[in-house]
Amino acid sequence: MLQILTLFLPFLVFLQAFPLDNVTDEERTAVFSYLIRYGYLTRLESRSEIKFTEAIKRFQSFFELPVTGVISNDELEIMTKQRCGIPDYLTSRFGVSQAWTKKNLTYHIGAITPKLTEEQVGDTIRNALDIWGAAANLTFTRVSKKEDADIVIFFASGAHEGDTISFDGRGSTLGHAFYPPNGDLHFDMDENWILGKGRGMTDLFSVALHELGHSMGLAHSTVFDAVMYPTYRIGKQLHQDDINAINKLYKTS
């Protein structure tokens, strides 16, 4: 135990030297983890105070906060919100934003949450796909075998097949998806999934609509009311910002 503390102590001292305003050591560590996980900072850069300050400024600029380079309660509040697991700044883990090269796509739904029926999940995914399909001039066909699918969709807990990015249990990351030509979408099984609003619950349609935007090739938006904004909110239709983005990607305007 003493050896572990000795190894970790320099990191705590290092964290305390960084520009964080009146936050605990636990919050400092969480800030580092968030910035690395969502593409603002690399692990190699995390030992540099200059790079860390630049990462904070990128985060503040993305979420339209005052660009001070110092973390305060405003930044911490955003960092504790439920959100999509895709980085706000693209990384090779999920691919590069691009369009599908074909118009007719197939999808497969694997394991689902026990909190909803198979019909509810199927209809929800279908409805979300139809919204993006109408905007991008794409069609979707559900197939029974995942080997035949362009987009494989399933619910999973913690570490799961299909990628190396583990889910974190209830709260925080709700799901993640990959850009074409992969397009697969994974939901966190541990969330309290429902259809619609509910205290402490998560609306599957809203998350599916967002994540399928990534499956269509869209990155995150900085527009607060857009479906493709990274933090969770109830959304039933595309914002003009989403429409402009998908039209530009698929040249359908």
Side-chain angles (χ1 to χ4, degrees):
M1 176 63 76
L2 180 59
Q3 183 179 11
I4 294 174
L5 290 174
T6 301
L7 290 172
F8 192 62
L9 183 59
F11 185 62
L12 287 177
V13 173
F14 173 77
L15 286 177
Q16 291 169 348
F18 275 60
L20 303 171
D21 186 18
N22 298 320
V23 298
T24 66
D25 286 340
E26 183 179 359
E27 289 170 332
R28 292 171 191 271
T29 303
V31 167
F32 266 78
S33 297
Y34 187 101
L35 293 175
I36 291 171
R37 178 163 189 157
Y38 297 113
Y40 296 94
L41 185 72
T42 68
R43 293 192 181 278
L44 184 61
E45 294 170 337
S46 65
R47 289 285 178 175
S48 165
E49 183 173 355
I50 293 175
K51 294 295 185 181
F52 180 67
T53 301
E54 290 175 353
I56 294 175
K57 288 181 177 180
R58 282 194 294 272
F59 172 86
Q60 291 167 330
S61 177
F62 187 95
F63 286 97
E64 298 186 341
L65 297 170
V67 181
T68 63
V70 176
I71 290 287
S72 64
N73 287 335
D74 290 337
E75 289 76 18
L76 291 175
E77 182 179 356
I78 292 175
M79 290 182 178
T80 57
K81 290 181 180 294
Q82 291 180 304
R83 61 161 291 156
C84 169
I86 295 291
D88 300 326
Y89 285 85
L90 299 183
T91 70
S92 59
R93 291 183 302 173
F94 293 92
V96 178
S97 179
Q98 60 183 307
W100 289 96
T101 57
K102 55 185 178 180
K103 292 294 187 180
N104 304 306
L105 300 172
T106 56
Y107 70 99
H108 170 79
I109 301 176
I112 67 169
T113 171
K115 299 177 177 68
L116 296 170
T117 67
E118 183 175 350
E119 182 179 8
Q120 287 175 315
V121 172
D123 288 348
T124 299
I125 298 298
R126 179 80 235 184
N127 291 338
L129 282 169
D130 285 345
I131 288 176
W132 286 115
N137 193 26
L138 299 172
T139 62
F140 302 94
T141 301
R142 185 174 177 178
V143 295
S144 58
K145 296 180 180 180
K146 69 177 182 180
E147 293 80 10
D148 297 331
D150 297 305
I151 301 171
V152 176
I153 302 167
F154 61 80
F155 292 73
S157 298
H160 54 277
E161 66 173 326
D163 62 70
T164 59
I165 312 300
S166 299
F167 283 128
D168 52 10
R170 183 182 173 190
S172 192
T173 302
L174 302 175
H176 53 235
F178 296 80
Y179 298 107
N182 183 328
D184 292 355
L185 191 172
H186 308 155
F187 296 105
D188 189 345
M189 183 78 80
D190 295 331
E191 303 299 335
N192 285 332
W193 297 103
I194 61 167
L195 298 179
K197 296 181 180 180
R199 185 177 180 84
M201 312 295 279
T202 303
D203 176 44
L204 178 61
F205 179 82
S206 298
V207 179
L209 188 62
H210 174 97
E211 298 300 342
L212 286 168
H214 292 310
S215 298
M216 297 304 102
L218 297 185
H220 281 152
S221 170
T222 61
V223 176
F224 181 79
D225 290 327
V227 164
M228 295 312 297
Y229 193 74
T231 61
Y232 170 71
R233 61 185 39 74
I234 298 289
K236 299 300 181 185
Q237 60 186 9
L238 302 184
H239 183 273
Q240 189 60 49
D241 182 72
D242 304 306
I243 295 171
N244 293 343
I246 200 73
N247 285 347
K248 181 178 180 181
L249 187 62
Y250 285 90
K251 298 178 174 57
T252 55
S253 57

